[in-house]
Amino acid sequence: MSQASDDEMDLDSMFPEPERPATPPPTLHNYTSPLLVESLHPKASEVTLHIHLVGSNPLWGHVLWNAGVSLADYFLRREREEEGSIAGRAVLELGAGGGLPALVAGCVGASRVVMTDYPDAPLLDNLKWNIQENARILASSGCDLPLEERMTVEGHIWGRKPELLLNQITGKYDILILSDLIFNHSQHAALLDSSEALITPRTGKAYVFHSHHLPQFYLRDLDFFRRAAARGWRIRNVVKEHRGVMFEHDQGDESLRGTVWGWEMTWDGDGDAQKGEWNAEEHSAGLSEAMAKNAQPII
């Protein structure tokens, strides 16, 4: 048998693969608020932050979540109302994506801000770009805030030991940011492990903001808080606001899908389950009763 030519044995010609869709391009989103300008006054007359997102990512780092925008707004309201100022505090964001809430914390004077995400180069490089770009924006607006001196980016896998995130001087963090992370149900325990390793016990605050994007799984979302209460976290509701649905193709109650919930959590540091408490304010009709009836943890 004669040797077949390369052309005759070209598998790409014999079994052509379907054309693959191009990777979506990166996106750029603008964030501005009168409260942001007010917090920077009188050094800035107008400021629009640029939030760059990777084009596509299996960890959802390509989405600017409603919860992140809501949390950024909440931080600015806190500053205006002087309800526990962020200025001078050490802040860390888990699963930052574009890092909007952390950037706003930096803008209002946090002493140290660490933005973390899965240790994937495109995600981390994107966060570094956002710091540099918004430092440039602030400088060009007349506001001399050294973001690049106070903000850093680190990779972190939830549940792993966070030695690199614990500063020798400042130690743990006054404020943790968990923005739209609890839909990842399998990682609830890991998120709590990281939070407990990083937060300052008793005085530190963790802000967990989220929406129920898939209402059929809302009890699985909320199991994060039941797990947290069992580990000694105190929980109180600070935000409930409707911002509209993020994913039009999803099914279910649009009022539930479009609502952002924000929770402030503190941890005593001793894991005493008796000190944890679930805030009884309902997410939706019958939710408290539904939670009470689920005696076994939802996995």
Side-chain angles (χ1 to χ4, degrees), residues 59-132:
L59 302 175
W60 294 91
H62 57 293
V63 177
L64 182 63
W65 301 92
N66 285 344
V69 178
S70 182
L71 182 49
D73 290 349
Y74 174 71
F75 280 165
L76 292 173
R77 291 197 300 272
R78 276 171 49 112
E79 290 302 299
R80 181 185 62 182
E81 297 164 7
E82 298 183 351
E83 293 184 359
S85 176
I86 297 171
R89 304 295 185 89
V91 178
L92 181 138
E93 181 168 8
L94 293 168
L100 172 59
L103 284 165
V104 168
C107 287
V108 298
S111 62
R112 179 180 181 229
V113 181
V114 180
M115 305 160 81
T116 74
D117 213 316
Y118 190 83
D120 176 63
L123 286 176
L124 301 184
D125 289 345
N126 182 69
L127 285 169
K128 293 173 184 176
W129 187 93
N130 282 344
I131 293 173
Q132 296 168 358

Side-chain angles (χ1 to χ4, degrees), residues 25-47:
T27 58
L28 185 66
H29 301 261
N30 293 331
Y31 174 83
T32 189
S33 166
L35 294 180
L36 178 60
V37 176
E38 181 181 317
S39 70
L40 298 170
H41 183 79
K43 296 181 180 180
S45 58
E46 182 176 350
V47 175

Side-chain angles (χ1 to χ4, degrees), residues 285-296:
L287 179 56
S288 295
E289 292 82 354
M291 288 288 291
K293 290 177 182 178
N294 282 272
Q296 300 299 319

